[in-house]
Amino acid sequence: MSNDNEQLDQAIARLVKHGMSRRGALKAIVASGMGAAVSPVVTQLAWGAEGPGGLPLARPDQPATLPMNGDPIADGLEPESGTFTVFNYEDYLYKATLDKFGEKYGVDVQITTFANMDQCITKLANKSVDVDVTEITPDRLTQAVAGKLLQPVNHSYIPNLQKNVWPTLHSPFYDQESRYTVPYTAYTTGIGWRSDKVSEDIAGMDNPWSIFWNAQDYEGLTGIINSPREAIGLAMLYRGNTDLNTEDPEVIGQALEDLQALVDICNPKVANTQYQTLPQASSWLHQAWSGDLLTGSMWYMPEGDSPDNLQYWTAPKGRTPVQNDCWAVPAASGKPVLAHLWMNFILEEENAYSNFINFTGYQPPINAINPKRLIDEGTIPKHLGTAVVEPDDLGAGSIQYMTLTAEGQRMWQDAYARFISGT
Amino acid sequence: MYPRWLWQLCALPGVVWLLLLFVVPFYAVIGVAFGDLDPIFQNPIPIWNPLDWNFENAFETLSRFTPGQPYWSVFARTTIYIVFAVGISLLIAYPVAYYISRHARRTKTLLLVLLVLPFWISYLMRMLAWVGLLAPDGFVNQFLISTHIDTDPPNWLGGHAGTVVFALVYGYIPYMILPLVAALDRIDQNLIEAARDLGLNSYQAFFRVTFPLSRMGILGGCVIITLPMFGDYYTTQIVSGSPRTTMLGNQIYLYFHGGPQPDVGAMMTLVLSIFLGILMAYYLYSVARAQRALQ
Amino acid sequence: MLYKLRALVANPWGRPRALVAVTWLYMFWSIVPVIIAIQFSFNDGRSISVWQGFNPTRWYWGDPVHSVWHDPALQSALFQSLKLAALDVLIATPIGVLLALGLARWRGYGSRPANFLMLFPLVTPEIVMGVSLYLVFQYVFVVIEPSTTAQVLGQVTFSISYVVIVVRGRLLSIGRQYEEAAADLGASYLESLRLVLFPLLLPAILASMMIVFAISIDNFVITQWLSCGAGCDTIPVKVYNASRSAPLPSINALAAIMVYLTLVAVVGAYLLYRFLTRGERAAGSGHGDTRSLGSIDFH
């Protein structure tokens, strides 16, 4: 081992003499493939530990505790007045639920939207929006905390977290002790298809992800989610790679090649409209989130078409990505008390249920909302029980898209850009 | 009668506005393209002082435009689509412009109105029209199937280069016809009559008199539609949506709205602007040369 | 026989049948799809590609959930479009008129660069303008976020050039004769501006207002880049988003409304212009309508 380190030090010293930084030298060695031969420690040094701002990169098996950026608000404060602004994706919150909150606390309410997480972080970082509470995904949480965009929460305002939410999410791995977030929805990524158009038995295949690579018959009627992580992740899962936070250029390169091959095979669209296009049958086979199928079956089926034609499959735990979106309070929030009260409000069983059933279709991680009950009642079609998320699906042993290093994020982004450009 | 300063004063608000909201933004693009990246957020940090400009990233992006590198094929594909679209547009536009300017007499006003009409119909509406027509159960397929021309027509909207070129032609051809009409209008009928008097038949008169005289108009029409086509990103998204048909504009959009590399997007915009600037400069030079030739 | 046929086709003084056919085919191809799209806004069913019967009101105000009248997202797009257009007209027209006056009459050192500056927005691809405005509002004029304000500022920037073209064309066709006559009669320059030049320019000013309105309603790229999200979306942005997923005929209805508004504005501009300049035509001063309709000057 010490022999390896000596070799490593020599190599690094040589590169540094030629003007590289020490970090850059480590990276170059790893990229050249020699590093792994020298020492596995090298890989971790160069890639593993450094997240944004030096914070640790959380993984389901490696929980991380985020540092406190200042103190949370004091206990027992009065809610503010005025207009309460929620920062969220478009069409991801039931307006009636938000209006109900506004009535309860006597404030006006509005939603400001962002198209994707990049926009969310950028707008918060540039202070170009004035919002009081924001939706956020765990893979951006580290960045947001490192950049001091969020303030810690005071749990005396949010008793519903302990009372109603799945135990696995009380102190999630990405935010131990829930210092900054409370969960909002939980979902898996899988394959959505129309059983009346696609003849294969996807769920029964050995490698269901491979359906895309055998979809010549469905040219132009397939689709992939337009997110760098999801698209490349799909190709990685096809090959059986379950480390979806990898920064190994070879794995990413292989995934890119597979995706490029996909263009020739079935010419997929790259979009995020599957919750509409599957019901409308303008798309027959689409990578989808579990919530999309529920939304689609409940709200977007045309007359004469039955939700029985929609199917969803996802792999067992550890072989498919799960994700849970969260709420957090921006550091610059003008109404932090209301933000806390909102977080408590949305975790109230009836509000979460109403939001889920009446609008979003994305399941909230609430104990009392037992999807088995919903299936028995007939609210969720039985064959879409695969779109239901269980508490056990999260936590250790699962895979979840999480924060990458800056270099890693660029690699994924570049690979995705190459796929998108059909090169 | 008017004081000397009056006209400059009148022009002042407009010039100031354009400087602030046209020239300065362009400088902002340069500043971001040659700037740094925030290590935490991966946001671009623009650098305003030309002496501090960071050219590393910029040159790396630039190098990716060369053949074999990632952005080359998008650039090449965009160019090919545009060459086809402009070529086809010209083939359609020229006869129409020729007829309207030189032959239509009673119907000329009506035809001019019909010609100008698409200008005032939003581009999006015109594309939406084709989304409906080219849908798998739309009129085009209904027609093809019922007349037995093609009983199993392809999914036109499934991601085909042909559909994108077709949509580009449809979208931009009105912008080409009007300059052509104007150019052909200006050709003096006497010249053609003189050519006929000298013994040329109608075809020869066309190819040796009319066509050469309309060259500036053709060039103008082509330039007018080539420039915006290079920046087009929405046409292919509407009628295709497939990675196989993405254009340069889509890449630029992706780097701004889809991920952490706005500096690359800014650099691409810069490259696009310079490329188009060269085209425009060539056009202006030709116009100036032609004008001088006339004097 | 062949000779006669050939004469029919190739007669230089007669009607060239092939060209006629091509031209009318082009017109048909150019306009009929839009008419069909508008027709589908009256579709009885939910499809935008299959005709399911005629229902004139379902998608405009009939359907209680999805029609333009009832769907808050579509309504907000309509109002946002109108709001932006109104602001654009109010701001771009005065600036543009003044700029036109200045550029047409300024015989000085800076006039050519200023003229060039005015022409640039016309030839710049919209994505370049969109990107540059997006960046400038993020890094230079940070007080302005992507919002209605930013959208107005962006739209005004390219609308100014259109106003200049229309007004300058009118200026050139008027000539200086009337103002010189007024000067001969003893008017000061302010009086000449107010009593002679402005009334003469009025047709062009009103026409350019309508044209700016039409352009603003149809604008897509700049509006999208400077948008703040769903609240700032205009009709073209909504049409774009919907056409990529699963559009209902309510989108056709919304787009049709956009077409109606634009056409009313443009036709209104034209009629107003003709009406206000009717005296000039009677006097026989017109030397080609086209010249007075607009002027792009390259010097």
Side-chain angles (χ1 to χ4, degrees):
Chain A
M1 198 55 176
S2 67
N3 200 14
D4 293 337
N5 277 345
E6 250 175 47
Q7 270 183 331
L8 183 60
D9 285 340
Q10 270 177 2
I12 293 178
R14 199 166 302 136
L15 288 173
V16 166
K17 216 163 55 167
H18 282 277
M20 264 193 181
S21 71
R22 189 181 160 75
R23 243 197 112 204
L26 268 175
K27 279 210 189 128
I29 293 176
V30 172
S32 72
M34 295 189 305
V38 173
S39 155
V41 173
V42 173
T43 319
Q44 205 194 8
L45 276 176
W47 302 121
E50 284 204 34
L55 294 181
L57 295 171
R59 299 283 184 263
D61 312 337
Q62 290 170 271
T65 313
L66 297 166
M68 297 282 268
N69 287 339
D71 294 318
I73 57 174
D75 291 349
L77 295 175
E78 283 298 306
E80 304 90 349
S81 59
T83 305
F84 180 66
T85 312
V86 171
F87 200 32
N88 197 353
Y89 288 97
E90 212 175 315
D91 287 345
Y92 203 35
L93 174 63
Y94 193 30
K95 196 71 175 26
T97 307
L98 184 59
D99 288 338
K100 194 170 151 201
F101 176 78
E103 275 170 37
K104 179 169 179 185
Y105 291 100
V107 289
D108 291 326
V109 289
Q110 64 175 7
I111 303 181
T112 305
T113 62
F114 50 81
N116 52 48
M117 264 298 135
D118 285 300
Q119 271 193 15
C120 171
I121 299 287
T122 307
K123 289 188 181 181
L124 286 175
N126 290 337
K127 302 198 192 6
S128 57
V129 284
D130 181 20
V131 295
D132 301 314
V133 71
T134 178
E135 212 257 14
I136 193 166
T137 51
D139 62 328
R140 295 312 196 111
L141 189 57
T142 319
Q143 219 179 21
V145 172
K148 310 231 185 318
L149 295 181
L150 303 176
Q151 55 172 292
V153 295
N154 178 339
H155 285 281
S156 69
Y157 293 95
I158 320 179
N160 283 334
L161 177 61
Q162 296 294 323
K163 209 168 71 158
N164 289 344
V165 173
W166 294 344
T168 39
L169 286 177
H170 287 173
S171 181
F173 68 89
Y174 52 83
D175 184 16
Q176 295 257 278
E177 298 166 24
S178 285
R179 287 184 172 179
Y180 288 93
T181 60
V182 297
Y184 177 40
T185 60
Y187 51 94
T188 55
T189 308
I191 305 178
W193 75 95
R194 290 194 62 99
S195 46
D196 56 338
K197 306 279 188 193
V198 174
S199 51
E200 287 86 336
D201 174 21
I202 297 179
M205 293 167 78
D206 282 334
N207 183 5
W209 303 111
S210 66
I211 182 67
F212 287 99
W213 281 264
N214 293 313
Q216 289 87 346
D217 294 336
Y218 310 120
E219 184 172 348
L221 294 161
T222 58
I224 299 193
I225 296 179
N226 64 349
S227 147
R229 305 300 300 273
E230 299 281 5
I232 296 185
L234 173 70
M236 287 184 178
L237 289 170
Y238 165 63
R239 291 277 173 193
N241 293 319
T242 52
D243 179 12
L244 295 181
N245 294 311
T246 180
E247 297 185 16
D248 184 345
E250 273 190 36
V251 176
I252 299 177
Q254 175 68 57
L256 173 60
E257 269 178 43
D258 290 329
L259 285 176
Q260 287 168 330
L262 206 55
V263 175
D264 288 322
I265 293 175
C266 65
N267 206 358
K269 306 238 188 217
V270 185
N272 197 1
T273 52
Q274 55 275 13
Y275 63 100
Q276 286 182 315
T277 52
L278 279 174
Q280 295 273 3
S282 46
S283 174
W284 292 358
L285 175 68
H286 212 294
Q287 186 189 21
W289 290 309
S290 53
D292 291 329
L293 270 297
L294 294 179
T295 318
S297 70
M298 290 195 281
W299 295 108
Y300 290 97
M301 299 303 299
E303 297 128 14
D305 202 350
S306 156
D308 290 339
N309 290 327
L310 292 180
Q311 297 283 343
Y312 180 73
W313 170 87
T314 186
K317 178 177 178 182
R319 300 228 290 276
T320 192
V322 296
Q323 192 57 278
N324 62 293
D325 290 3
C326 313
W327 291 105
V329 185
S333 167
K335 303 183 175 47
V337 181
L338 276 177
H340 284 75
L341 293 170
W342 165 255
M343 287 155 98
N344 196 45
F345 183 83
I346 195 67
L347 292 177
E348 195 72 56
E349 182 200 326
E350 53 167 327
N351 300 323
Y353 182 75
S354 166
N355 190 29
F356 166 46
I357 281 297
N358 290 327
F359 194 73
T360 66
Y362 279 82
Q363 186 182 338
I366 306 278
N367 291 326
I369 299 179
N370 184 350
K372 298 257 182 304
R373 182 188 99 205
L374 292 166
I375 295 176
D376 291 336
E377 285 173 1
T379 322
I380 301 182
K382 188 154 188 286
H383 64 283
L384 287 178
T386 46
V388 161
V389 183
E390 301 278 332
D392 292 332
D393 287 332
L394 302 168
S398 68
I399 43 178
Q400 196 161 341
Y401 289 113
M402 284 301 300
T403 321
L404 303 167
T405 63
E407 189 59 39
Q409 201 157 11
R410 252 199 301 282
M411 287 201 308
W412 281 70
Q413 172 75 7
D414 280 341
Y416 178 70
R418 290 197 65 169
F419 162 54
I420 285 285
S421 66
T423 52
Chain B
M1 162 184 54
Y2 292 107
R4 290 274 302 266
W5 48 264
L6 179 65
W7 304 125
Q8 280 152 315
L9 184 65
C10 282
L12 191 65
V15 169
V16 167
W17 183 287
L18 287 174
L19 279 176
L20 281 181
L21 283 170
F22 189 76
V23 177
V24 170
F26 201 73
Y27 193 70
V29 175
I30 300 179
V32 170
F34 296 139
D36 279 332
L37 274 187
D38 178 309
I40 295 183
F41 296 120
Q42 303 297 305
N43 288 345
I45 303 176
I47 297 181
W48 304 115
N49 185 348
L51 299 173
D52 292 331
W53 277 342
N54 164 10
F55 289 109
E56 269 179 42
N57 275 345
F59 279 134
E60 206 202 312
T61 310
L62 201 56
S63 74
R64 293 200 188 167
F65 274 98
T66 53
Q69 294 292 318
Y71 305 146
W72 169 253
S73 64
V74 176
F75 184 65
R77 185 191 304 140
T78 309
T79 313
I80 293 177
Y81 285 3
I82 292 180
V83 165
F84 272 99
V86 173
I88 297 176
S89 302
L90 194 55
L91 281 176
I92 301 177
Y94 198 91
V96 176
Y98 186 75
Y99 176 72
I100 294 180
S101 62
R102 305 219 65 83
H103 287 280
R105 273 177 283 268
R106 282 168 299 165
T107 50
K108 187 164 185 172
T109 325
L110 172 64
L111 284 171
L112 277 174
V113 169
L114 288 178
L115 207 57
V116 169
L117 201 56
F119 274 92
W120 304 113
I121 301 177
S122 164
Y123 192 91
L124 269 304
M125 171 54 141
R126 304 171 66 223
M127 288 298 125
L128 179 67
W130 284 105
V131 169
L133 288 172
L134 292 176
D137 51 1
F139 281 177
V140 170
N141 281 1
Q142 285 177 28
F143 174 76
L144 289 176
I145 293 177
S146 63
T147 56
H148 297 290
I149 295 178
D150 184 351
T151 45
D152 186 18
N155 178 3
W156 303 107
L157 298 174
H160 300 287
T163 317
V164 177
V165 172
F166 174 82
L168 284 173
V169 169
Y170 184 79
Y172 287 98
I173 200 172
Y175 297 91
M176 181 181 251
I177 301 194
L178 269 183
L180 272 179
V181 169
L184 286 168
D185 226 5
R186 271 200 292 270
I187 298 178
D188 196 345
Q189 180 70 2
N190 294 321
L191 288 172
I192 303 186
E193 290 187 13
R196 299 305 307 281
D197 288 343
L198 288 172
L200 298 177
N201 67 28
S202 54
Y203 293 114
Q204 287 172 323
F206 174 75
F207 280 109
R208 299 185 69 172
V209 178
T210 317
F211 187 73
L213 283 174
S214 64
R215 258 212 305 257
M216 283 313 346
I218 295 179
L219 190 60
C222 289
V223 168
I224 285 186
I225 67 172
T226 304
L227 261 49
M229 269 197 210
F230 261 105
D232 187 301
Y233 62 94
Y234 34 91
T235 308
T236 174
Q237 291 290 75
I238 295 176
V239 299
S240 166
S242 149
R244 211 187 264 170
T245 58
T246 50
M247 295 173 66
L248 195 56
N250 296 104
Q251 287 271 282
I252 296 180
Y253 189 85
L254 176 74
Y255 278 115
F256 275 106
H257 291 292
Q261 296 188 65
D263 54 330
V264 175
M267 187 62 203
M268 281 178 146
T269 312
L270 207 54
V271 169
L272 180 67
S273 312
I274 295 179
F275 176 72
L276 295 179
I278 296 177
L279 266 180
M280 191 65 189
Y282 170 71
Y283 171 67
L284 289 176
Y285 167 71
S286 316
V287 167
R289 206 175 52 168
Q291 278 184 344
R292 256 180 289 129
L294 286 175
Q295 281 151 4
Chain C
M1 183 62 198
L2 206 62
Y3 180 73
K4 263 198 170 165
L5 202 63
R6 198 157 167 271
L8 208 65
V9 172
N11 182 351
W13 313 127
R15 306 215 357 244
R17 318 257 156 170
L19 285 180
V20 175
V22 168
T23 304
W24 286 103
L25 261 174
Y26 166 76
M27 292 303 175
F28 184 82
W29 173 68
S30 178
I31 299 187
V32 168
V34 176
I35 297 184
I36 294 181
I38 298 182
Q39 176 202 345
F40 269 98
S41 71
F42 300 115
N43 196 8
D44 197 24
R46 292 172 62 121
S47 171
I48 66 160
S49 44
V50 176
W51 183 246
Q52 291 158 320
F54 182 74
N55 183 336
T57 60
R58 177 171 181 188
W59 300 107
Y60 286 93
W61 61 80
D63 190 301
V65 180
H66 294 296
S67 63
V68 177
W69 186 252
H70 286 107
D71 185 341
L74 298 182
Q75 261 189 12
S76 109
L78 181 56
F79 287 137
Q80 180 75 1
S81 276
L82 290 173
K83 189 159 71 166
L84 285 182
L87 286 170
D88 191 8
V89 167
L90 285 176
I91 302 178
T93 311
I95 299 181
V97 169
L98 288 176
L99 187 60
L101 275 175
L103 286 180
R105 300 258 169 110
W106 181 1
R107 292 275 170 262
Y109 180 53
S111 72
R112 276 177 87 185
N115 187 49
F116 230 55
L117 182 64
M118 183 275 299
L119 286 173
F120 255 104
L122 293 173
V123 294
T124 311
E126 283 197 88
I127 193 175
V128 173
M129 275 193 82
V131 167
S132 56
L133 284 168
Y134 177 74
L135 288 178
V136 89
F137 286 133
Q138 257 193 340
Y139 296 109
V140 181
F141 305 132
V142 278
V143 287
I144 304 172
E145 327 154 350
S147 60
T148 309
T149 315
Q151 287 172 318
V152 170
L153 291 177
Q155 285 194 353
V156 169
T157 308
F158 67 80
S159 302
I160 292 180
S161 307
Y162 285 93
V163 176
V164 170
I165 290 176
V166 173
V167 173
R168 194 161 63 171
R170 173 75 176 151
L171 264 178
L172 290 179
S173 80
I174 296 175
R176 291 186 182 249
Q177 30 178 341
Y178 301 103
E179 295 154 272
E180 285 171 6
D184 289 343
L185 290 171
S188 77
Y189 80 89
L190 279 174
E191 285 172 335
S192 164
L193 275 181
R194 192 167 54 92
L195 299 169
V196 178
L197 191 55
F198 184 72
L200 280 175
L201 277 184
L202 196 60
I205 296 178
L206 292 175
S208 69
M209 283 172 78
M210 304 240 159
I211 289 178
V212 169
F213 181 83
I215 290 176
S216 167
I217 295 252
D218 291 345
N219 180 264
F220 169 67
V221 175
I222 298 205
T223 320
Q224 190 201 36
W225 277 82
L226 298 175
S227 167
C228 60
C232 292
D233 279 348
T234 56
I235 300 181
V237 178
K238 277 282 190 296
V239 171
Y240 175 72
N241 291 335
S243 67
R244 296 173 58 202
S245 61
L248 291 172
S250 50
I251 280 297
N252 290 54
L254 193 64
I257 292 178
M258 172 170 63
V259 173
Y260 306 150
L261 287 172
T262 315
L263 285 181
V264 162
V266 171
V267 169
Y270 180 69
L271 290 176
L272 202 58
Y273 190 88
R274 302 254 328 165
F275 176 71
L276 290 174
T277 56
R278 63 195 182 289
E280 293 163 30
R281 269 190 307 283
S285 73
H287 36 185
D289 249 14
T290 44
R291 187 145 182 256
S292 67
L293 277 178
S295 139
I296 302 186
D297 205 349
F298 278 119
H299 298 300

